[in-house]
Amino acid sequence: MDSTIDISDPARALSLPHIRYQLIRLEDTVLFHLIERAQFPLNPTIYTPGAITIAHSSSTSALSFMDWVLRSQEELQSKIRRYQSPDEHPFFPDAMQPLVLPELKYPRILWGNDVNVNAELKQRYVEHILPAVCKGKKERPEAQENYGSSATADVACLQSLSRRIHFGKFVAESKFLAEPERFAELIKKEDREGIDAAITNAKVEQKVLERLRVKAEMYGVDSGMDADAPRKIDVEAVVAMYRDHVIPLTKVVEVEYLMQRLKGTEWE
């Protein structure tokens, strides 16, 4: 569970071509996980705290079944260095466990910060993203045999979305290094609107949405399928997810990271 990105060379890790490559790869990862989740009904019961009794588990009444699965995964993955990597952020920071593998020392790339938007991401995922992705399947009656599979797919979706969104820290650092005086002035003024305007490139965002639409249309059908066969995922739901949630949350990460950029100490 070590870093899945090459950060052995900080200069390369913060180069725009490398960042662009990683973001495109993450688009594929997010989309494939969403397609996997979309095969199941919405199953709202697994997102309701206390709706499912979790045997042999204490203090779980405040957690939904999906949250319990996610927290349990993070407890395990924290032991094998997942959250030592600068591109990974837990949904349950209090669930982190001592390492069973030797601690790693990564090169200095990002500056000290505590930016983590996973709570907002999870809420948006359950309340907006998932209902749109599972549209057309929510009318199907829930079946208990779907609960574990749905929650497992949710964990994969949430973790990939989190990586994609928090990769904004690398984007922000790269942009700062390209124009340090401009961003330093905005940061000193605590001008969040100015920072947001400086990091926004509407043309690039539109290209991302167009590329994602093509991918969703291509990956959302099986080769040899009848033209009238139902798609594996709603293309508009995928595009809306990026437009209304992924891109805005990424910009929140970028802005808040930069707001801490001059106050933090170099990350080691």
Side-chain angles (χ1 to χ4, degrees), residues 85-105:
S85 176
D87 59 329
E88 295 284 2
H89 298 73
F91 286 84
F92 293 94
D94 63 323
M96 300 298 94
Q97 301 294 311
L99 294 174
V100 298
L101 293 173
E103 184 176 359
L104 295 178
K105 285 290 185 179

Side-chain angles (χ1 to χ4, degrees), residues 37-216:
R37 177 59 183 89
Q39 70 177 301
F40 304 110
L42 183 58
N43 292 331
T45 299
I46 69 174
Y47 310 105
T48 304
I52 298 175
T53 301
I54 303 172
H56 311 298
S57 181
S58 59
S59 302
T60 58
S61 59
L63 293 178
S64 67
F65 177 71
M66 191 278 289
D67 276 341
W68 177 80
V69 173
L70 176 57
R71 182 187 175 92
S72 298
Q73 283 291 307
E74 291 195 337
E75 287 179 352
L76 171 62
Q77 292 168 352
S78 67
K79 295 179 181 180
I80 53 177
R81 298 193 295 218
R82 180 177 190 126
Y83 300 105
Q84 274 207 294
S85 176
D87 59 329
E88 295 284 2
H89 298 73
F91 286 84
F92 293 94
D94 63 323
M96 300 298 94
Q97 301 294 311
L99 294 174
V100 298
L101 293 173
E103 184 176 359
L104 295 178
K105 285 290 185 179
Y106 288 103
R108 296 176 177 179
I109 297 181
L110 300 178
W111 285 64
N113 70 93
D114 59 4
V115 179
N116 186 331
V117 298
N118 277 343
E120 175 70 12
L121 167 60
K122 183 154 67 71
Q123 181 178 352
R124 291 186 183 211
Y125 177 80
V126 172
E127 296 180 1
H128 303 287
I129 297 173
L130 198 57
V133 168
C134 293
K135 186 173 62 176
K137 297 179 182 292
K138 60 185 177 182
E139 293 82 4
R140 289 169 47 190
E142 291 191 15
Q144 291 190 9
E145 60 266 26
N146 290 151
Y147 289 171
S149 298
S150 297
T152 300
D154 285 328
V155 170
C157 287
L158 284 166
Q159 290 182 331
S160 62
L161 283 166
S162 176
R163 285 193 65 233
R164 167 57 180 81
I165 289 167
H166 288 97
F167 213 84
K169 294 183 183 183
F170 291 84
V171 177
E173 182 66 18
S174 178
K175 291 179 178 179
F176 181 94
L177 294 176
E179 299 182 274
E181 294 182 0
R182 178 189 184 190
F183 281 104
E185 186 66 23
L186 291 169
I187 294 167
K188 289 175 182 177
K189 293 180 179 179
E190 297 188 357
D191 186 357
R192 283 179 168 83
E193 291 186 2
I195 295 173
D196 183 84
I199 64 175
T200 297
N201 188 323
K203 291 183 178 179
V204 170
E205 291 178 5
Q206 186 58 37
K207 287 183 179 179
V208 170
L209 297 179
E210 292 171 357
R211 183 172 63 237
L212 199 65
R213 179 183 296 277
V214 171
K215 289 181 179 180

